[in-house]
Amino acid sequence: MKLIIAIVQDEDSSRLLNGLMNKGFGVTKLATTGGFLRAGNTTLLIGVEDEKVQDAIGAIESVCKSRKQLTTANTSATGVSGGGYVPFPVEVTIGGATLFVLNVEQFLKV
Ligand code: 2BA
């Protein structure tokens, strides 16, 4: 058995959850925050039999789209008197999805 940890954008999470549930996968949804953007995203825990891993990844790929987002990065302002930090906009491409596939040693419901 494997545990897929899928970090997805909030905009895709509802459709993905429905798609995975309709295919019979067990899913837990967590509200999470990305370390770089400090913006909300969604992490799904999906426990799957080994032979279903590709099916689950396919479902994720079909729903999760990459998007560009402008964010404000802080950089050292060497030309500014007194130093300090000046924010400037940076475009980042987020997603589709960031996936970790882990081996599960034991799966118990007690
Ligand atoms: P965030 O950390 O908020 O990152 C959002 C997007 O910002 C990233 O998209 C990437 O395009 C960009 N980014 C991240 N760190 C950067 C940096 N140091 N410099 C420039 N741009 C940077 P994704 O790569 O698609 O990641 C989406 C979300 O997946 C991340 O949100 C984070 O929550 C998670 N994630 C990505 N890689 C991870 C990892 N190795 N471990 C744990 N979580 C990860």
Side-chain angles (χ1 to χ4, degrees), residues 1-2 4 15-28 45-49 51-53 55-57 59-60 107 109:
M1 188 175 206
K2 307 281 191 210
I4 301 175
R15 206 154 71 86
L16 178 56
L17 200 60
N18 287 338
L20 290 167
M21 298 295 293
N22 288 341
K23 283 175 172 278
F25 290 107
V27 187
T28 296
L45 305 180
I46 313 157
V48 296
E49 298 305 327
E51 60 274 15
K52 296 275 185 65
V53 168
D55 193 16
I57 291 174
I60 294 166
F107 173 56
K109 292 186 181 181

Side-chain angles (χ1 to χ4, degrees), residues 53-105:
V53 168
Q54 285 312 317
D55 193 16
I57 291 174
I60 294 166
E61 278 178 330
S62 70
V63 169
C64 295
K65 306 298 176 205
S66 70
R67 297 181 178 86
K68 291 187 189 308
Q69 187 171 318
L70 276 181
T71 185
T72 307
N74 286 319
T75 189
S76 171
T78 50
V80 175
S81 71
Y85 287 85
V86 176
F88 70 97
V90 175
E91 188 179 77
V92 295
T93 302
I94 313 167
T98 300
L99 305 180
F100 300 87
V101 181
L102 286 66
N103 285 318
V104 173
E105 200 162 310

Side-chain angles (χ1 to χ4, degrees), residues 7 33-38 41 92-95 98 100:
I7 304 165
T33 302
F36 185 69
L37 293 178
R38 310 290 164 93
N41 55 25
V92 295
T93 302
I94 313 167
T98 300
F100 300 87

